[in-house]
Amino acid sequence: MGARVLERFPAGAPRGSWPAEEYAAARRAQGEPATVVMDLKSDTFLVVVPTRDED
């Protein structure tokens, strides 16, 4: 199973992960199973939703 990135937020922002968490919460309110993950390589918070890999 993979994931699709909906939005990216810089980790160095003054509010930290809050914008990403707020965005994910809004997506969840619309029925998408959005979560926030940290991409250490790019120092970015990612809002992702799971996708099914087609065989």
Side-chain angles (χ1 to χ4, degrees), residues 14-34:
R15 295 181 60 218
S17 67
W18 289 1
E21 294 290 351
E22 290 169 348
Y23 185 86
R27 301 279 66 86
R28 287 191 297 270
Q30 293 178 353
E32 289 187 272

Side-chain angles (χ1 to χ4, degrees), residues 19-54:
E21 294 290 351
E22 290 169 348
Y23 185 86
R27 301 279 66 86
R28 287 191 297 270
Q30 293 178 353
E32 289 187 272
T35 58
V36 176
V37 296
M38 176 69 177
D39 179 9
L40 295 175
K41 188 173 183 178
S42 67
D43 196 32
T44 307
F45 291 107
L46 306 175
V47 179
V48 299
V49 292
T51 60
R52 292 184 188 255
D53 293 333
E54 297 296 324

